[in-house]
Amino acid sequence: MKLYFASHCCSLTPHIVLQELGLPYDLVRVDIRTKRTSDGRDFLTVNPKGYVAALELSSGDIITECPAIVQYLADLSPSAKLAPAAGTLGRVRLQEWLSYISGELHASLAPLFNPALPEAARDIFTAKVAARLAVVEAALAADNREYLLGDDVGFTVADAFLFVILGWLPLFKIDLAAWPRTAALARRVEARPSVAAALAREAEAPEVK
């Protein structure tokens, strides 16, 4: 397999999952501005959407969108229990969280990356982020759980995805301390060896020329 990534992007999520599972893979850096890859390809021929992550299989098939990629990876090694089995209510709950993180939390943060965003609009999106985080905080508080799907399930790909998105908050001066249970979850995930291993490998990956 080959993972196309860019630093400080959503692609860190499947990278953490690959490390968790101990699966072999190649890592290819993408310049998301020029759409070139470190192995000399036009990234738009890999993913016409133009953004990471993208996972290339040995068959040549390409999977895009983090929720789809991480579920595919988790199903390659079901014994690792990074996702409940397909067809179960637990899997539906996982998909709920992956959809929420992508469609609500990530989508609310994305406009803040635009330096030309007017201050009034920035305040609106910052408030949306706070409201989305309040939902996460309430879910964790409901039964004093440490992970999104509950402590009987434990760490899953949804927690990895949330951790990556939460890592962007300091860029916009959003203090996660306002949501202490969510902050604790982020610290818990950050302490996993897979996170350090993924970040180290990304730092060592060849640059785009």
Side-chain angles (χ1 to χ4, degrees), residues 23-198:
L23 296 172
Y25 64 97
D26 294 321
L27 195 60
V28 181
R29 191 184 299 273
V30 177
D31 185 322
I32 56 178
R33 291 165 298 184
T34 65
K35 310 302 180 187
R36 303 299 300 179
T37 70
S38 57
D39 61 357
R41 298 179 68 178
D42 176 356
F43 183 59
L44 293 176
T45 66
V46 177
N47 181 10
K49 300 169 185 174
Y51 53 77
V52 293
L55 183 71
E56 184 173 350
L57 309 183
S58 58
S59 63
D61 291 299
I62 306 290
I63 304 174
T64 63
E65 306 299 334
C66 277
I69 295 171
V70 295
Q71 289 182 85
Y72 172 82
L73 291 173
D75 287 341
L76 292 179
S77 300
S79 62
K81 298 182 180 180
L82 294 187
T88 65
L89 180 59
R91 186 57 163 257
V92 174
R93 297 303 184 206
L94 177 76
Q95 292 166 341
E96 280 184 325
W97 276 117
L98 290 172
S99 297
Y100 183 79
I101 295 164
S102 178
E104 298 294 338
L105 188 53
H106 183 187
S108 298
L109 275 167
L112 299 177
F113 283 96
N114 181 358
L117 190 70
E119 199 60 34
R122 188 169 297 277
D123 291 343
I124 290 170
F125 282 108
T126 300
K128 283 187 175 183
V129 171
R132 304 302 184 259
L133 289 171
V135 171
V136 176
E137 186 75 7
L140 295 173
D143 54 3
N144 197 31
R145 66 180 62 176
E146 293 189 346
Y147 295 104
L148 289 173
L149 268 67
D151 296 350
D152 55 332
V153 177
F155 174 78
T156 69
V157 297
D159 299 296
F161 194 14
L162 178 61
F163 164 75
V164 171
I165 301 303
L166 294 176
W168 300 343
L169 297 183
L171 298 173
F172 312 115
K173 298 181 174 58
I174 299 174
D175 189 353
L176 194 53
W179 303 275
R181 294 179 186 273
T182 307
L185 184 153
R187 290 193 298 271
R188 223 170 271 123
V189 176
E190 185 177 25
R192 298 181 76 86
S194 59
V195 174

